Every structure is written in C-alpha cells, then in structure tokens.
Amino acid sequence: KIDLVLTASGAVPPTCGAPQVSLAQNPWCLVPAAQYGARQRWKAALQRRAYRQALQSAAMMVFISRYLESLYGQLQPEGRVARSEIAYVGLDEGTHTAAEAMRARVEKQRLLIVSVSAMAPWKGAETLVTALHKLRRDGVAARLRLVGPWPDSVYRSRIERLIDELKLRSDVEITGQVTKEDLHRHYAEAQVFCLMSCCESFGIPAAEAQAFATPVVSTRDCAVSEICAGGGRFGPADDSDWTAGALAELLTDATAWRECSERGVANARALRWDECARPLMNMFSVVG
C-alpha cells in the first residue's frame, strides 16, 4: 500500500513495485580524478551501473545541481531518461541568522584564507597550499586555515609534509573538525574562501561562506561555480598558478572583493529551504 518511494542514494531499489523518485547527491563515481586505486574504481563502476538503472526506471530523478544532472546524462546518452527536477540545497536558518548578525559585527582578518571541507584527497588541499607559497613568495602575506575532518590520515600526513617542505608551518592552521559556532566564526573572519576540489555536487561550505560575505575561489570543474556564480573566481583544478592569481586579486583588489562579496550574499539569501524544497515537492505528481 505504498504510493511512492523516495531514495536519497541516486539509485533505486530494483525490485520495488511502487513509483520511485531518486534524489541524486553524490558525483564521486562519475569523476575519475576522485578515484584512487583499483578498489575504488571497481566500486565506482558498480555505482555507475546503479545510477544508469535509476535513469531508466525511476519515475523521477531529482538532482541537487545542474552540474550533477550533466554528469548523470553522460551515463545515458541515448534511450529513456527519467523525468527530472533540479532542487538546490537550502542553508539552515541558524546559518542565515548567524551570518546576518556576524556580517555586522565581525571584522574580516586581512589576507586570511579559509578552506572548509571533509579533506579527502580530491579536495585539492595541495593546490591551495602550493598557491599560498606562491602568494607569499610574491609579497602577499596571506595565511590559511584548513577547517574540517580528515577522513584519510595518509592524505593529511602528505599535506603536512608539503607544508613543512614549503616552510609554511607558521602560516597554515589545521583546525580539524570544529563546532558550528566556530565554523561560523571562521567563515566570518576570512577574507576569502577557497576550495580547489575536482568533485562537488553542490558545495555547501562555499555557499555558507558566501552567507558571511566571503568571496569564493574554486574550480569550474564542479558545482561550486554554478551555486556561487558571480560571487568569486572559478578556474581549473590542479593549477596552483591560477589559484594564486585568483586569490591575489580578491585579497588585494578592494573593488573586486566587494563586488564578489555582495553577489555572494545575494546567492546565499536565495538558498532558503522554503524555496529550495519546491522542486522536490513535484515528486508527488508522479503518483497516479
């Protein structure tokens, strides 16, 4: 007696007889650069097979960005593709409230860059650290905070070795996972947010940073450039020269910084759940 099944995995259970709506949120298996080793590539192949089946059999697909929809589209260039909707992720009201308060009372720390994420190997921390080294070599005395957990301890060790090799130990702070209150403070204090990831289906930290009037530097190879359009600079992944140049502009050019900051705040204000959830509610139309 079930009328509708919603799954949040991007796939669909193959033996379910009720109409199914699949919420697609994870691009990992669709981005080869995010996969390391034979075991991960094998897992990714299984996930792609499940995603392809969802495109063929789901009553509706809901994607959290157009970028993710385009990745799925590469799996099914011909044949039946499920009806689809784009439903952006809303920022919670606590984030909006904190951002409005802190924009007025927290002073930006000049030349401070913050990067927030679960620091997996595809997040591009090495690109950012190398870009910081180039900034300082060129006379821009920037500092960096890396905020968030490190699910891969080997990757963290590699980044820490790079920091030491480039003699940046006093210029880079690694906080690990923090409380929501501290996270908001990091967003509010930073002059620029930077995440050079090659694999983001939406980019919640970047969107949150914009709520705190912090411009974004990220890649054009993921959804961040879509979600934060106009609110920063977006270029190639794995390019520390480009990253250093984009950071230098937003750290030293007050006009460029202000334009991106204002546009970013507007972007974030649009990400409220009462609006973002509307496309998802269209799933009830598939029930006959």
Side-chain angles (χ1 to χ4, degrees):
K1 298 182 180 181
I2 294 172
D3 296 308
L4 178 71
V5 174
L6 171 66
T7 64
S9 66
V12 294
T15 59
C16 178
Q20 298 185 72
V21 174
S22 186
L23 176 61
Q25 305 179 82
N26 186 1
W28 173 80
C29 73
L30 305 170
V31 181
Q35 299 151 28
Y36 295 84
R39 182 179 178 83
Q40 289 197 359
R41 289 191 291 272
W42 174 76
K43 178 183 176 182
L46 292 179
Q47 287 184 332
R48 288 194 299 273
R49 180 181 178 182
Y51 289 178
R52 189 177 295 109
Q53 181 184 23
L55 288 172
Q56 295 171 343
S57 60
M60 178 186 288
M61 297 291 300
V62 181
F63 301 96
I64 61 173
S65 64
R66 297 191 184 282
Y67 162 78
L68 188 53
E69 181 184 40
S70 71
L71 288 181
Y72 265 71
Q74 296 173 18
L75 295 174
Q76 195 76 6
E78 299 177 359
R80 194 246 181 200
V81 177
R83 171 185 169 186
S84 65
E85 295 279 353
I86 306 297
Y88 282 168
V89 179
L91 303 183
D92 66 78
E93 285 304 311
T95 297
H96 284 295
T97 300
E100 290 171 6
M102 297 178 82
R103 288 199 304 266
R105 62 180 174 82
V106 176
E107 185 176 354
K108 294 290 184 185
Q109 293 190 18
R110 186 173 179 272
L111 302 180
L112 175 61
I113 305 163
V114 69
S115 184
V116 176
S117 188
M119 298 293 177
W122 58 84
K123 299 295 184 173
E126 57 269 58
T127 301
L128 177 51
V129 169
T130 304
L132 177 69
H133 172 68
K134 294 178 179 181
L135 282 172
R136 297 189 65 84
R137 179 198 61 194
D138 295 339
V140 180
R143 295 170 293 118
L144 172 62
R145 285 181 190 162
L146 297 173
V147 180
W150 294 75
D152 186 335
S153 60
V154 174
Y155 182 61
R156 175 170 181 163
S157 296
R158 177 151 60 93
I159 296 303
E160 289 184 327
R161 285 196 301 272
L162 179 63
I163 291 169
D164 289 335
E165 289 169 5
L166 297 177
K167 297 180 171 56
L168 294 172
R169 181 57 65 178
S170 62
D171 307 308
V172 179
E173 177 186 2
I174 299 178
T175 70
Q177 190 164 356
V178 298
T179 65
K180 181 173 287 189
E181 291 74 16
D182 283 342
L183 176 62
H184 291 165
R185 177 177 56 82
H186 291 311
Y187 286 139
E189 291 179 347
Q191 188 175 343
V192 177
F193 173 95
C194 184
L195 183 67
M196 300 309 296
S197 176
C198 69
C199 184
E200 297 291 334
S201 59
F202 187 82
I204 291 175
E208 289 178 336
Q210 290 199 318
F212 291 84
T214 305
V216 170
V217 171
S218 189
T219 70
R220 59 178 177 237
D221 304 322
C222 64
V224 176
S225 60
E226 172 188 343
I227 305 307
C228 300
R233 299 291 183 262
F234 308 97
D238 300 323
D239 190 332
S240 59
D241 288 330
W242 180 90
T243 304
L247 287 169
E249 179 189 8
L250 292 178
L251 290 171
T252 62
D253 185 329
T255 299
W257 185 92
R258 183 174 61 255
E259 290 174 351
C260 290
S261 175
E262 292 173 353
R263 176 61 183 275
V265 170
N267 287 342
R269 282 175 174 157
L271 297 175
R272 293 186 179 274
W273 275 115
D274 55 352
E275 291 298 325
C276 292
R278 290 181 187 276
L280 183 59
M281 294 302 98
N282 290 332
M283 67 182 178
F284 295 110
S285 67
V286 308
V287 180

